[in-house]
C-alpha cells in the first residue's frame, strides 16, 4: 500500500470544519471544503508519489492498467478506475439532482457532442449510482415518497394555485411526472409569488419547516416545492443512503463517506442557480416511490461490515479494529482505496505496510495479497464490485 493524496473541492455549500477536523487540521478553514476526492476522475485526480513528485492516479491507471486494475476490472471497465471514493461535507443544501443510467449516459453524451460545455448535461458516457454512509448525523432528501403523502403536504398550505399539483399527486405514482413538470415549468414571473403564498400559509410542521429553510437560500426556486415530494431522512453515523439511477435527491447537511461510479453526470432539478434542463431531467427521472432509501450496515465478519448495492462498479466495506478484534484480513480483489475514518490503522497488502491516521488514505494495486488491517481505529475500504 502507498499513500494517496486527494484534492479538496471548494464548492460553496461545503463545510469549513468537517474535513479539516477529520484530517486533524485547524478549523474553521478560510473557505468551504465540500469534497475530498480519492480516485482517478480526470476532473480532480488523486496523486501518489514517484521520485519525490506527485503523479496523477489517472496517468498511472491509463499507462499501467494491468498492474493497477487487473485483468477482470480492465476487461469490464477499460483503462479507468471504475469508482470514486469521497468524503462529502455539507453545511448547506446541495442542488436537487438525479443521475442517468448507463444507456441514458451513453446516448446523452453522444447526442451532445459538439455543444458548448455550458449547454451540456453529460460530461462523460457513464452512469453514476452512489452510496453515502454517514460519519456524522446526516440529513438528506432521497427519492420520491408516496404521492398521497406529498399531496397532503402541499394541500395543507391551502394555496389554490397548487390544486393541479395536488390533484396529480392524488392519482398516485402515475401523477408524479405531471406534478414535477408542473412545478418546474411554473412561469418564471409567478414563482416568487407562489413561494411567498406557500410560506405565508405555512404553519408548524416538518414540511413547512423544510420549505422555509430551503426557500431562505433559494428564493423563487420551484425546487423548494419539488423537494417536498421526496423522503426527508436523518441518518445516524453508520447508516447509508443508496441512490440508484433516476432518483431525485439532495444532501442537506452533515459529513459522510461517499462512493460512486466514476462519473460526473448530474441532471439538476432546482435549489441551485445553475442550469436546469427540465426536459432532460424528466427523461432521466424514475417516477416511482423509492421504498426504504436508508441502508443499515450488514456484518460480514468480526470487525467488518458493508452496504451491499446491485452494481459492479464499486463496493464499500468498513473495518473496525481494537483490542477485541486487533486484526482483520479482507480477501477483496484490487484495486483498493482505503480511508482511515478514525484512530490509527495499519494496512498491508503484501507489497508494504502503511499506517494511516484519521483522514489519510492509501491505495493498493490489483496485484496485492489479501488486505490486512490492524491497529485501533476505523477504515473504509473501496473496491470494484466485481467478485
Amino acid at each position: 500500500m502507498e499513500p494517496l493524496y486527494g484534492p479538496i473541492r471548494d464548492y460553496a455549500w461545503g463545510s469549513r470544519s468537517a474535513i479539516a477536523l477529520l484530517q486533524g487540521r485547524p478549523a474553521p478553514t478560510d473557505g468551504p471544503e465540500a469534497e475530498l476526492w480519492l480516485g482517478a476522475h480526470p476532473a480532480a485526480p488523486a496523486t501518489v508519489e514517484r521520485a519525490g513528485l506527485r503523479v496523477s492516479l489517472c496517468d498511472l491507471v491509463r499507462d499501467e492498467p494491468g498492474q493497477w486494475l487487473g485483468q477482470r476490472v480492465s476487461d469490464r471497465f477499460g483503462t479507468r478506475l471504475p469508482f470514486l471514493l469521497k468524503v462529502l461535507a455539507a453545511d448547506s443544501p446541495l442542488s436537487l439532482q438525479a443521475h442517468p443510467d448507463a444507456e441514458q449516459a451513453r446516448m446523452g453524451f453522444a447526442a451532445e457532442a459538439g455543444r458548448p460545455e455550458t449547454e451540456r448535461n453529460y460530461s462523460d458516457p457513464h452512469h453514476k449510482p452512489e452510496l453515502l454512509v454517514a460519519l456524522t448525523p446526516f440529513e438528506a432528501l432521497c427519492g420520491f415518497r408516496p404521492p398521497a403523502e406529498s399531496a397532503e403536504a402541499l394541500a395543507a398550505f391551502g394555496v389554490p394555485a397548487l390544486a393541479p399539483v395536488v390533484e396529480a399527486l392524488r392519482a398516485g405514482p402515475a401523477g408524479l411526472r405531471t406534478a414535477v413538470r408542473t412545478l418546474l415549468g411554473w412561469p418564471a414571473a409567478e414563482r416568487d409569488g407562489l413561494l411567498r403564498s406557500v410560506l405565508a400559509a405555512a404553519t408548524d410542521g416538518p414540511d413547512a419547516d423544510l420549505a422555509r429553510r430551503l426557500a431562505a437560500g433559494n428564493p423563487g426556486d420551484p425546487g423548494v416545492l419539488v423537494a417536498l415530494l421526496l423522503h426527508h431522512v436523518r441518518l445516524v453515523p453508520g447508516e447509508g443512503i443508496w441512490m440508484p439511477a433516476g432518483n431525485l435527491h439532495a444532501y442537506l447537511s452533515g459529513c459522510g463517506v461517499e462512493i460512486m461510479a466514476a462519473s460526473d453526470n448530474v441532471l439538476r432539478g432546482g435549489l441551485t442557480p445553475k442550469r436546469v434542463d427540465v426536459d432532460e431531467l424528466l427523461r432521466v427521472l424514475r417516477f416511482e416511490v423509492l421504498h426504504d432509501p436508508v441502508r443499515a450496515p450488514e456484518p460480514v465478519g468480526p470487525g467488518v461490515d458493508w452496504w451491499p448495492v446491485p452494481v459492479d462498479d464499486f463496493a464499500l466495506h468498513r473495518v473496525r479494529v481494537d483490542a477485541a478484534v486487533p486484526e482483520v484480513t479482507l480477501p477483496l480483489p484490487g484495486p483498493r482505496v482505503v480511508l482511515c475514518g478514525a484512530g490509527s490503522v495499519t494496512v498491508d497488502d503484501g507489497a508494504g505496510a502503511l499506517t494511516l491516521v484519521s483522514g489519510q488514505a492509501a491505495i493498493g494495486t490489483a496485484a496485492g495479497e489479501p488486505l490486512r488491517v490492524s491497529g485501533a481505529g476505523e477504515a473504509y475500504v473501496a473496491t470494484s464490485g466485481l467478485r
Side-chain angles (χ1 to χ4, degrees):
M1 301 295 288
E2 57 183 306
L4 184 67
Y5 305 97
I8 293 176
R9 313 305 301 269
D10 60 352
Y11 307 134
W13 48 263
S15 169
R16 293 173 182 260
S17 61
I19 295 177
L21 292 175
L22 179 70
Q23 295 183 324
R25 295 184 284 111
T29 55
D30 291 337
E33 296 182 341
E35 295 180 345
L36 170 66
W37 284 29
L38 298 168
H41 193 285
T47 58
V48 297
E49 285 193 0
R50 291 289 183 272
L53 300 175
R54 296 281 180 90
V55 178
S56 165
L57 188 59
C58 283
D59 295 341
L60 293 177
V61 170
R62 181 195 63 224
D63 295 342
E64 302 171 344
Q67 176 183 357
W68 286 97
L69 302 178
Q71 194 64 49
R72 290 191 68 208
V73 173
S74 58
D75 284 349
R76 170 68 176 84
F77 297 103
T79 56
R80 65 186 188 94
L81 188 67
F83 60 84
L84 173 60
L85 184 68
K86 296 181 181 180
V87 176
L88 181 147
D91 264 3
S92 58
L94 283 67
S95 62
L96 280 173
Q97 57 190 264
H99 309 301
D101 64 26
E103 182 62 20
Q104 290 166 340
R106 283 193 294 268
M107 293 177 60
F109 183 71
E112 292 181 348
R115 287 190 192 178
E117 185 174 344
T118 55
E119 298 177 11
R120 298 188 66 149
N121 295 301
Y122 299 90
S123 59
D124 57 66
H126 308 299
H127 69 164
K128 192 188 175 186
E130 58 191 35
L131 168 74
L132 182 136
V133 175
L135 291 175
T136 68
F138 198 92
E139 186 183 7
L141 303 170
C142 49
F144 289 115
R145 61 177 174 172
E149 294 180 13
S150 301
E152 295 312 305
L154 295 186
F157 293 119
V159 175
L162 288 176
V165 179
V166 172
E167 181 180 358
L169 292 169
R170 285 178 173 159
L176 278 170
R177 178 185 293 271
T178 298
V180 173
R181 179 182 288 279
T182 301
L183 290 172
L184 292 182
W186 211 273
E190 300 175 14
R191 291 177 178 179
D192 282 337
L194 174 66
L195 276 182
R196 281 198 300 269
S197 297
V198 168
L199 297 178
T203 57
D204 291 336
D207 293 299
D209 291 344
L210 178 61
R212 280 192 289 264
R213 176 179 166 193
L214 296 178
N218 302 276
D221 190 330
V224 171
L225 298 178
V226 176
L228 301 183
L229 310 185
L230 308 180
H231 293 284
H232 185 191
V233 302
R234 291 176 173 85
L235 308 180
V236 300
E239 288 184 322
I241 304 173
W242 161 240
M243 282 290 100
N247 279 272
L248 197 61
H249 61 284
Y251 300 142
L252 303 182
S253 66
C255 182
V257 173
E258 187 178 30
I259 188 168
M260 61 186 63
S263 170
D264 205 24
N265 285 325
V266 177
L267 282 301
R268 295 180 177 84
L271 308 184
T272 177
K274 295 181 179 179
R275 176 173 172 266
V276 175
D277 185 332
V278 175
D279 289 337
E280 189 64 16
L281 176 68
L282 293 173
R283 192 180 74 84
V284 164
L285 283 181
R286 293 181 179 175
F287 292 100
E288 56 192 31
V289 175
L290 179 64
H291 298 286
D292 300 323
V294 177
R295 298 288 181 95
E298 297 185 9
V300 176
V304 183
D305 47 30
W306 76 322
W307 301 261
V309 294
V311 294
D312 57 11
D313 305 75
F314 60 81
L316 183 68
H317 289 74
R318 178 178 62 184
V319 178
R320 291 171 164 175
V321 285
D322 53 24
V325 184
E327 183 173 296
V328 167
T329 298
L330 294 175
L332 300 173
R336 292 166 289 207
V337 174
V338 181
L339 168 71
C340 181
S344 173
V345 298
T346 297
V347 290
D348 187 353
D349 65 351
L354 180 67
T355 298
L356 306 173
V357 298
S358 179
Q360 292 182 336
I363 188 168
T365 68
E369 299 173 1
L371 183 68
R372 298 198 307 275
V373 183
S374 59
E378 180 177 270
Y380 291 85
V381 182
T383 67
S384 85
L386 293 173
R387 293 291 180 268

